[in-house]
Amino acid sequence: MQLGTRWGLGDEPPARLAENVIAAIREVEAEIGERQGWRWTLTWLESRPVVELDDGTTIRQGHDGTATIEQVD
């Protein structure tokens, strides 16, 4: 696993992310609304992005390029 970067909820995600991953990030942000101080963390696993929000919500890009959202109950 390789650490990427962190950015605030609602801020611009890293440009190197695929459009479908950015769309998934925007979908989650629209669903949960504004949360003061929450941040996203980008890491890379097997050269694919894994984006995790402070509440544990995770977006992963699969081998086929699809982005999936995993939300914690």
Side-chain angles (χ1 to χ4, degrees), residues 11-53:
D11 292 344
E12 191 64 33
R16 66 183 180 260
L17 292 174
E19 283 299 317
N20 63 338
V21 174
I22 293 173
I25 291 167
R26 295 297 181 228
E27 179 182 329
V28 169
E29 290 179 340
E31 186 176 306
I32 65 171
E34 190 172 321
R35 301 283 196 252
Q36 186 69 25
W38 281 25
R39 297 179 61 80
W40 291 101
T41 301
L42 168 63
T43 55
W44 297 87
L45 182 61
E46 297 178 0
S47 300
R48 292 188 314 277
V50 177
V51 183
E52 186 173 354
L53 189 56

Side-chain angles (χ1 to χ4, degrees), residues 9 24 29 36 39 48 54 56 58 60 63 66 70 72:
L9 187 74
E29 290 179 340
Q36 186 69 25
R39 297 179 61 80
R48 292 188 314 277
D54 286 343
T58 305
R60 298 175 189 275
H63 291 287
T66 59
E70 303 167 8
V72 178

